[in-house]
Amino acid sequence: MTNINIELKGYTADIVEKMLEDGYVKTKTEAIRLALFEFDQVHKLTDDELYAKAAQKMLKDIKSGKEKTRAYHIKIKA
C-alpha cells in the first residue's frame, strides 16, 4: 500500500470534518477511502471482481477481529 500525505483546506477539509462529527467515519483516512469508494461506485472505474475481493477480505478481517464495526445512525436535522 502506498503512503501519501494530503493537506485538506477549505471545502474539502470541511466535508471531512463533518463526516467525522456525524459519525460516518472514525478517521480522516477512513473519510478519504470512503469518498474514493463512493466515487468509484458512481463512475464504475473498476470491475465487480475487485469489489468481491475487497468484500471477502473485509469480512475475513471482521470475523477475525482485525476490523471492528459499529452501527451508524444518521442524524436528521429538522
Side-chain angles (χ1 to χ4, degrees), residues 1-66:
M1 182 177 287
T2 303
N3 290 321
I4 60 174
N5 292 321
I6 299 174
E7 184 177 348
L8 299 174
K9 294 180 182 179
Y11 175 77
T12 53
D14 293 342
I15 295 297
V16 169
E17 288 302 319
K18 186 68 173 158
M19 292 171 78
L20 287 163
E21 288 173 14
D22 289 354
Y24 289 108
V25 295
K26 292 184 242 177
T27 66
K28 291 179 180 180
T29 299
E30 191 176 318
I32 293 169
R33 287 184 183 135
L34 181 61
L36 290 170
F37 177 78
E38 178 68 20
F39 183 86
D40 188 42
Q41 289 288 300
V42 170
H43 297 284
K44 304 293 183 196
L45 300 175
T46 58
D47 61 25
D48 290 337
E49 187 177 321
L50 293 176
Y51 291 120
K53 287 180 183 179
Q56 287 173 347
K57 182 186 180 314
M58 186 180 301
L59 291 173
K60 179 183 167 193
D61 289 348
I62 290 169
K63 192 172 186 178
S64 72
K66 282 183 175 179

